[in-house]
Each structure stands twice: as C-alpha cells, then as structure tokens.
Amino acid sequence: MAMIATVALTGCATSRSVVDPSIAASANPVQGKAVRIEKVVDARVFEKAPSEPSTPSLDPSEPTDDKIKARAIARKRNGYGKALGDVLLPENKTAANLVSDAVAEGFRASGYRVLVPGDAGFEQAIPVTADARQFWAWFTPGFWSITMSHRSEVKLDAPLPVLQSGKVVTAEAEDSRQAATESAWQEIVSKGMTELAKSVRAALQPAQ
C-alpha cells in the first residue's frame, strides 16, 4: 500500500493543475459535404462525493462556479482513492471546446469538410450540435503502476440521414503509468480525444 500511495501521489496532488490537451487536426477533404459545429453543450453531471472516480466532481475547498466546471476534466486522487485536487484546462478553453475539436476531426476523417466562421459557405454548411454527457479522466491504483482512463459520451444531431434521429457515440482510452503527473493527465485526455474522433468517424460511415 505504501508503494501504491507513492506511485499515485507524485506531483502536487492536493492542489489544482492546469493542462492543455489537444488533437492533431487533419486537413479538410477537397470535396465532401460541408458541415459546421454549431454548438456543443456541456451536459456533464457533477457530484459532490461520487463513489466512482469516473464521475465528475470538484474539490469543495476551491471555487467551484460554472466557469470552473466548464474547464474541469479530471480529479486527482491518492493511492487509497481519496479525492484531491482538480485538473483544469487553461482559462481560454473548456471541455466543450475539446469535444468540438474531436467531433470536427471525426467528421473530417469521414470525408466531410468542416467549416469555421470566416470560411466561404460557412452559413450554408450543415449544422451539427453535440451534447457532451461524459468527458472525464481518472486513474485506478495498482500495485506497481496506475491505470489512467478517459471516457467520452456525446450525442450528435444534424440534418444528415445518419444523425437525423440523433446518435450517441462513446469512446474510452487507457494508459499504464508510474505516476499521475500533469503530463500524464494531458496525454490521457488527448488520447481520449483521438478515440472520440474515431468513434465519430465510425458513426458517420453509413452516411458515406
């Protein structure tokens, strides 16, 4: 147990950390239906003292307003499972932004052209909306290492044949580590974004 605690607690586990995950954006296809990510709603439900680390929560000793919730992507824990400090995105980023980036990448990988404000044809592009029901990272202690995990659940809607009735896409990522460092949190969330993009691509395949 001493080994577990030492492995898990490397770094400032009791204070908040700020990390900046990302996903590599591929180029838009030359041809293909044009879409725009109209809106991503952060529909995650936070609990004060969840029994499972995969459930979003925040350190009650720190400010926990809506702006902090929007930036929260993980909660640190010690080797015995006790919840500690939060893992946040930079002030100019939110979890909804990361979901938007992953969804956009999934559409591009499926052959769609994803337009952004300022692009020709942006207003005429097919609007895509998303409800981010889950987007969270956590770790599970082990004897010699920890398992870092990330889970996404996103409901997509768009006036496209495959999405007219809405479709829920899910994705999970895991990685084995010796310690839950800030770089480890950043990497597992980035990996989670990549897996979410793959799930979006798979969900869109029937439309092609």
Side-chain angles (χ1 to χ4, degrees):
M1 293 303 292
M3 174 63 74
I4 293 174
T6 301
V7 167
L9 279 170
T10 301
C12 299
T14 58
S15 61
R16 280 181 168 166
S17 291
V18 176
V19 300
D20 194 7
S22 62
I23 185 172
S26 57
N28 265 327
V30 176
Q31 297 180 336
K33 292 181 180 179
V35 300
R36 68 177 191 268
I37 310 303
E38 180 80 0
K39 180 174 62 175
V40 176
V41 176
D42 188 342
R44 299 175 300 168
V45 177
F46 284 74
E47 296 183 9
K48 289 185 177 180
S51 58
E52 296 294 332
S54 58
T55 301
S57 65
L58 290 171
D59 183 353
S61 68
E62 298 271 12
T64 57
D65 57 24
D66 288 342
K67 290 183 178 180
I68 294 296
K69 284 184 179 180
R71 294 168 53 204
I73 54 172
R75 180 89 182 269
K76 304 175 191 176
R77 291 175 182 262
N78 66 17
Y80 305 101
K82 177 179 172 57
L84 301 171
D86 308 315
V87 181
L88 307 179
L89 297 171
E91 290 187 2
N92 63 333
K93 281 191 176 182
T94 65
N97 294 150
L98 300 192
V99 171
S100 179
D101 289 346
V103 169
E105 181 59 23
F107 269 86
R108 283 191 292 266
S110 248
Y112 291 86
R113 291 185 299 120
V114 181
L115 305 185
V116 298
D119 287 344
F122 173 77
E123 294 297 333
Q124 293 74 41
I126 298 169
V128 177
T129 60
D131 286 349
R133 299 173 175 177
Q134 176 80 317
F135 190 84
W136 199 250
W138 70 96
F139 77 76
T140 304
F143 188 75
W144 294 111
S145 64
I146 61 174
T147 299
M148 301 199 71
S149 306
H150 186 273
R151 181 180 298 152
S152 301
E153 180 180 325
V154 179
K155 182 176 183 290
L156 299 174
D157 288 278
L160 293 166
V162 73
L163 296 179
Q164 281 183 346
S165 299
K167 180 171 284 191
V168 176
V169 296
T170 60
E172 294 192 5
E174 282 191 356
D175 199 1
S176 180
R177 296 276 181 166
Q178 290 300 308
T181 61
E182 289 185 351
S183 62
W185 287 115
Q186 181 164 305
E187 289 169 14
I188 190 59
V189 177
S190 295
K191 187 174 182 179
M193 294 172 68
T194 298
E195 293 303 315
L196 176 57
K198 291 178 181 178
S199 293
V200 171
R201 179 185 181 184
L204 294 172
Q205 291 308 300
Q208 299 302 302

